[in-house]
Amino acid sequence: MISKDRWRLSQAAIVGTMLSSVAMPALAQEAPAPAEAAAAPLAAGEIVVTATRRSESLQKVPISIQALSTATLEQRQVQSFDDYAKMLPSVSFNSFGPGQSQVYFRGINSGGDGLDVGSLPTVGSYIDEIPVTTVGNSVDIHLYDIQRIEALAGPQGTLFGASSLAGTLRIITNKPSTGKFEAGYDLQVNKYGKGGAGGTAEAFVNVPISANAAIRLVGYYKREGGFIDNTYKQRTYSLDDPDPTTNVTIDNAKFVGKDQNTVDTYGGRAALKVDLDSDWSVTPQLIYQKQISHGSWLFDPAAGDLKVHDFLDSFNRDELAQASLTIQGKIGNWDVTYAGSYFDRHKKSAIDYSYYTVAYDHYSLAGGYAAAGDYYFYTKYPDGKGGYLNPNQFEYQNMHFTKQTHELRFSSPADAPVRLTFGAFMQRQQNKIATDFATAGITASGVPITDFPNQGLYPLPGFPDAVFLKRLDRVDRDYAVFAEENIDITSSLTLTGGIRFFSVDNTLYGFSGIAGLGRRPSRCVATSDSFYPCISVNKQYTEKGETHKISLSWKIDPSRMIYATYSTGFRPGGNDRRPGTPSFLADTLTNYELGWKTSWLGNSIRFNGAVFHEKWQKIQFTLPGANGQNYLLNAPGGAEVNGVESDIAYYNGGFSLTGSAAYIDAKLADDFCNARGCTPKGTQLPATPKFKGNVTARYAWNDVSWKPFIQASANHQSGTRAALLDSFVYDTVNYLGQTVSQFGFTKAFTTFDFSAGLSFGDIKLEAYIQNAFDKRGILSKASACGLAECRSNARFYPIKPQLFGIKASQRF
């Protein structure tokens, strides 16, 4: 683990380097370095990408890739992950709100990702050359001054490694340039139709310090108004017995309010580029962001549209910083790249977990645990005054994630008939997890723990009010060497082969379980470390293997290409947190793909696409267990995905029509039978619509001095299955006299966005409306626990409701 002192030193080193460069005497301006020389003009809408670790036109890369340019991001008001995910047809996700999403490509999702001690993600996330993939939830960086987003569908294991099982998402930032001074700002105010108001202030500046050095600074603040109301609710708990004299009635009156799911995001980026000579450059960069969100971002349909019944002021604080260093140069005529970083992410959250308490109160009374004789009286806590405490339970999370990565890469000349890229990679990820599930007042009641009626469930001394807790130290280590070679068999036929050899070493250490286990020496080893009440988990998982790729591309002519690819991907296995359980193994993905990249009518029409067949084996799956404790296993059998994805664009003067779509049939290839029953072969994998697409029409009067424009977009996706297990999707429960099941499926929806604007010199004004007709599209569903009573109170994650906005920007 890298110490706080070393982390501070890394920040100081970057700041010091920047200040020393500022102090350098200004030199006479010279011609730009070759890397900054003027590039050949691109066709309308054409984008240069680095998906193969080389700079190439998107139309020349034999990979299914969708790239969103700077212009596209600005024109669609893209600021966060939710904004651009709707524009990527092969991408789906589950989410609990800002900074709390799990991302999927082509339906590769079993529905159990996102746990702090669960599987690694199936999708790799990058900022420039640096992986920022994190266990649990994806990083949600505010997007400003971004060059492009690259979405690489299908396994990318040879060049991008372990967590690129199903695909890779890359955010490419604008770099410092010695060519000229430039700066700009963007100001925005907005309001949800029936919700709160918000706004954004953003700015950047690029300053050439000398002929061989430049600095680029970016800063932003965003306030997002809420749109989910917390409404009044009264509950009566039976406290696990039929005696009405012990009932406890509570309400949430002091937490009631409108538009409570607000979020504040602020941060920035500082990058310095120094050209050491004509061949070598050094670019240190520092990224910082803090995001504070309040309330629930999922609503409870039983409470009403965009309403919840919460009994806590929930919040999520997500603070991250990354210090990175990129060195680029040449040895002979070979390109050399080193990219290293230290990433630090700290998350704190408080979550209303009271539906879990409601479920257990009902379940015990109905003869569940009471009949089994295990954890009876789960909600019955004496208050020390002859009565009983409010049994509502709350979850408090405190996670500290750090990641250190290093990659060294060599590439042969790009114009040679045989081109080779090879290198080595290592990373160390650590997640220190402290989670308490607490019932307020247990410790203050003064009731000795021996007097609690719970069978084996006692609060643990030193951990106030906690009835269940986790104190875990998770470390994931990856090492790899890789190579990819391109051979021009003829001037129009190219063969590509790649391989990556990897080694992983993952450990999990600490405590996870019922607090009362601390009083059971036979099941828990005591420790003197105050961070750990005892040690119930001490596991290690190691693995070595390889993943590979072979592709053949044929350039029919300069404007048209087809390719065929066979590729594989992997995701390392790991350690289940329950004592005595085996490790779960790596899962793998095999991809067969036929794609095309074509341009027509002098590049005014672009039509790209791919058809694919994928086989997913040894699927890592999270199965709900007793008392809400999940456990991980490899599902027997596997899954298959068949699909087609495509994007098309047409440009004619000031008019453009662009769109993309995907049809994805992702389903189980075998029956999946487990302790929860059997889910049959052919069942749709969760959270992925079979069809998702978007289209945008834009007309700009570029020959008019004030450059007016109008734009309209439509987005559509079909319905999804909320969970993989049939027992989750189809089971109903008699809850308070009603037969309910809210978990099953989401419905198809279509939304429309409109915008218009004009310019006055270098100032641009724009007005927009998103989700113009306030369609209530549901992206995912979630429940507090695995019991049917919890699922009857499932909450829905909606798309953003109707949003109006006005934006002003200026470039210097």
Side-chain angles (χ1 to χ4, degrees), residues 256-314:
V256 168
K258 289 182 63 62
D259 308 327
Q260 290 198 343
N261 61 319
T262 60
V263 59
D264 293 275
T265 305
Y266 59 88
R269 188 172 77 244
L272 170 71
K273 183 181 180 184
V274 179
D275 295 325
L276 304 177
D277 56 29
S278 60
D279 289 333
W280 288 87
S281 67
V282 178
T283 308
Q285 179 169 267
L286 181 64
I287 296 174
Y288 174 83
Q289 178 174 290
K290 187 169 185 178
Q291 186 176 77
I292 305 172
S293 60
H294 295 276
S296 174
W297 289 77
L298 287 76
F299 73 94
D300 182 353
D305 181 39
L306 300 182
K307 299 182 187 300
V308 293
H309 297 317
D310 274 359
F311 286 72
L312 178 73
D313 284 330
S314 301

Side-chain angles (χ1 to χ4, degrees), residues 425-469:
F425 172 82
M426 69 82 63
Q427 72 176 359
R428 183 184 189 275
Q429 307 176 80
Q430 182 175 28
N431 197 8
K432 298 200 75 171
I433 303 159
T435 303
D436 291 352
F437 296 84
T439 294
I442 290 179
T443 301
S445 70
V447 178
I449 57 177
T450 53
D451 292 344
F452 273 72
N454 308 58
Q455 297 183 12
L457 180 63
Y458 306 98
L460 196 66
F463 296 87
D465 297 342
V467 296
F468 185 100
L469 54 84

Side-chain angles (χ1 to χ4, degrees), residues 639-692:
E640 292 186 352
V641 183
N642 296 294
V644 57
E645 55 202 8
S646 179
D647 65 270
I648 189 168
Y650 170 67
Y651 299 93
N652 185 1
F655 177 73
S656 65
L657 181 67
T658 58
S660 57
Y663 174 82
I664 298 172
D665 185 17
K667 58 190 178 184
L668 287 177
D670 304 277
D671 293 345
F672 177 27
C673 295
N674 52 75
R676 294 275 178 166
C678 284
T679 300
K681 171 183 177 180
T683 296
Q684 181 181 353
L685 298 184
T688 297
K690 281 196 172 184
F691 178 82
K692 180 181 177 183

Side-chain angles (χ1 to χ4, degrees), residues 19 245 450 496 585 758:
L19 292 176
T245 64
T450 53
T496 300
L585 307 177
L758 48 83

Side-chain angles (χ1 to χ4, degrees), residues 86-104:
K86 70 180 183 181
M87 302 167 61
L88 303 174
S90 294
V91 171
S92 59
F93 64 100
N94 285 325
S95 185
F96 289 90
Q100 303 175 76
S101 298
Q102 303 88 50
V103 189
Y104 317 109

Side-chain angles (χ1 to χ4, degrees), residues 197-212:
T200 307
E202 305 160 310
F204 77 93
V205 61
N206 179 86
V207 182
I209 300 171
S210 67
N212 66 333

